[in-house]
Amino acid sequence: MGDTPDARAIEAPRPNGEFQVTVFPDRIRIGVRADETIVDALRRQGYRSRYKCRRGGCGACRAVLVDGTVAYRTPVSETVVDGPDREPGQQKCLPCRAFPQSDVIIELGERDRLVDVLAGLGRSRERTT
Amino acid sequence: MSVLRLGYVHINVTDLAEAKNHYINTLGMDAVHEEDGTVYLKSWDEADHHSVVLSEGGVGLTKLGYKVSDADSLAEIETRVRAFGATCERMSKGDNQSVGDGLRVTLPSEHTLELYSDIEYVGTATGLWNPDPWPRGGTRGIGVPRLDHTLITTEDPALLERFLSEALDFQAAERLVGGEDNTELVGSWMFCGEQPHDIAFVQGENGKLHHFAYHIADWSALLHAGDVFSMDDVPIDFGPARHGITRGETIYFFDPSGNRNEVFSGGYRTGKDFRTITWTMDQAARGINFTHRELDQNFLTVVT
Ligand code: FES
């Protein structure tokens, strides 16, 4: 997959029911199972993104939803999703509570980085670049 | 005149069923009353009707209640609050379930703080006659015995400190200072009785809650709480660790809506003759997390 994802690929679930989530700017791509939030899937696969409450309440995990759709199974407050600096035309999401409904691309904030906490254990990962 | 302690905390939760499960089964509080999407809870060692109130819709703090010794004290506080120039109104019996007349104050930090002396007496789980040290029938989850303190955020810590000391007779046990010559107040940990703190605040957005805390017996109760958190997949903020400020022991965690809670043990005894301890900003991380001497970037900024 290149920089611009193919729209058809975005809509198609993987055969095993997973959707793929690509995390910008590192372009790390992970599979997210139907019963997992994006943060759950990142953790399962040895990554840490910035988060705090993991309950949709604090906004620490807030990311731009570049492409795709997500659903929230528990109510989240809109002001927490949008955050203080709402930019027109830009959609945000809370990865700690978001269940992908398609392949999804999210972009972390400038100061937020995806950390590979299991890197030392030598597991290799798929990256989109 | 005396404010006795933190009596109740009203918070919003996004999903009432999830929140009830957390506060009742993980923390071990008992539901005392429920109506219209609001649940009143109390812990086993608390005698008053409720200490934590959950209402469905959003996140964060609605109001704090501090119990005052008697009606005369309430009247005196009202005079002092008005003299200070803060907003306050009378609160009538029935405004709050099982709570009598009182005073509703808007703090300089925009938080709502209610003061009352009269609340329905329910009694602790162990009673007053030849009590057992803990409920023989058992507790659920952690089995928190009681509420302890809150930490809120304010744009002007110096103003809030002055208000709490002049209008409510709180004293600072510990202060965190910064700026040139350490003259700027960044945070203050204040007491009304003999605890290290009953209310604390740090610089931040007005009207927000950093956390509210439960007291638990000791360090091993704290580790037991940590076990329960892991069993129930409760997100931990930090701990178990020792605080420099208050010398207490802590685990910070989040409820299912993302409101921060704490289980707190230890600390020291204060009182009217207690002399204020000072921490400087270069030691702030150690002041808050003495064990690790470092803080997560979001610890002070994430509030609800
Ligand atoms: S981590 Fe708090 S909202 Fe996602």
Side-chain angles (χ1 to χ4, degrees), chain B residues 85-285:
Chain B
T87 316
C88 80
E89 61 177 20
R90 289 285 174 86
M91 156 179 120
S92 325
K93 189 179 173 93
D95 281 6
N96 285 296
Q97 174 67 38
S98 302
V99 178
D101 295 341
L103 208 57
R104 185 174 297 121
V105 179
T106 306
L107 297 180
S109 55
E110 295 171 18
H111 297 86
T112 301
L113 185 134
E114 294 178 338
L115 297 155
Y116 61 96
S117 56
D118 173 29
I119 178 169
E120 186 183 331
Y121 179 86
V122 174
T124 69
T126 49
L128 296 176
W129 287 78
N130 311 315
D132 289 330
W134 38 268
R136 186 66 182 87
T139 51
R140 288 174 309 278
I142 295 166
V144 290
R146 67 173 172 89
L147 207 57
D148 191 89
H149 65 268
T150 55
L151 196 158
I152 56 181
T153 54
T154 172
E155 284 168 13
D156 191 344
L159 178 64
L160 183 56
E161 188 186 58
R162 194 160 65 78
F163 176 82
L164 289 169
S165 98
E166 287 178 14
L168 301 180
D169 243 0
F170 280 64
Q171 269 173 258
E174 310 212 17
R175 305 173 89 231
L176 176 62
V177 296
E180 234 171 279
D181 303 329
N182 288 319
T183 49
E184 260 168 53
L185 185 67
V186 180
S188 182
W189 285 254
M190 302 186 83
F191 62 90
C192 53
E194 295 195 342
Q195 299 205 110
H197 58 335
D198 295 285
I199 193 165
F201 43 91
V202 292
Q203 195 152 39
E205 209 181 320
N206 271 354
K208 294 288 190 179
L209 172 73
H210 184 276
H211 70 268
F212 65 90
Y214 295 90
H215 195 273
I216 58 173
D218 55 23
W219 180 246
S220 37
L222 204 74
L223 288 182
H224 173 262
D227 294 342
V228 176
F229 292 144
S230 191
M231 291 173 193
D232 291 357
D233 196 25
V234 173
I236 301 294
D237 190 348
F238 80 69
R242 154 94 75 188
H243 283 308
I245 297 167
T246 74
R247 212 191 289 156
E249 296 132 13
T250 178
I251 300 179
Y252 286 106
F253 55 101
F254 292 99
D255 82 358
S257 307
N259 296 303
R260 193 189 278 97
N261 299 160
E262 179 186 23
V263 280
F264 178 92
S265 63
Y268 48 72
R269 187 170 175 185
T270 56
K272 288 288 165 214
D273 61 345
F274 189 82
R275 295 200 188 188
T276 306
I277 292 164
T278 304
W279 288 81
T280 50
M281 273 308 269
D282 58 320
Q283 295 291 315

Side-chain angles (χ1 to χ4, degrees), chain A residues 51-62 80 94-97:
Chain A
Y51 53 74
K52 202 70 188 159
C53 70
R54 283 194 284 130
R55 293 295 181 264
C58 71
C61 67
R62 188 182 305 117
V80 181
L94 298 176
C96 74
R97 281 298 211 190

Side-chain angles (χ1 to χ4, degrees), chain A residues 20-92:
Chain A
Q20 291 209 319
V21 172
T22 308
V23 184
F24 281 8
D26 293 326
R27 296 172 185 281
I28 286 168
R29 192 198 292 164
I30 55 155
V32 182
R33 297 171 182 162
D35 61 346
E36 280 181 330
T37 65
I38 296 173
V39 165
D40 287 340
L42 284 168
R43 282 161 60 91
R44 176 171 57 80
Q45 291 166 78
Y47 290 104
R48 276 290 303 261
S49 54
R50 170 167 138 164
Y51 53 74
K52 202 70 188 159
C53 70
R54 283 194 284 130
R55 293 295 181 264
C58 71
C61 67
R62 188 182 305 117
V64 177
L65 184 60
V66 179
D67 205 351
T69 49
V70 297
Y72 299 98
R73 293 191 189 164
T74 43
V76 291
S77 134
E78 241 167 71
T79 55
V80 181
V81 178
D82 291 338
D85 35 39
R86 188 148 197 220
E87 285 177 41
Q90 192 177 65
Q91 245 197 307
K92 303 272 180 68

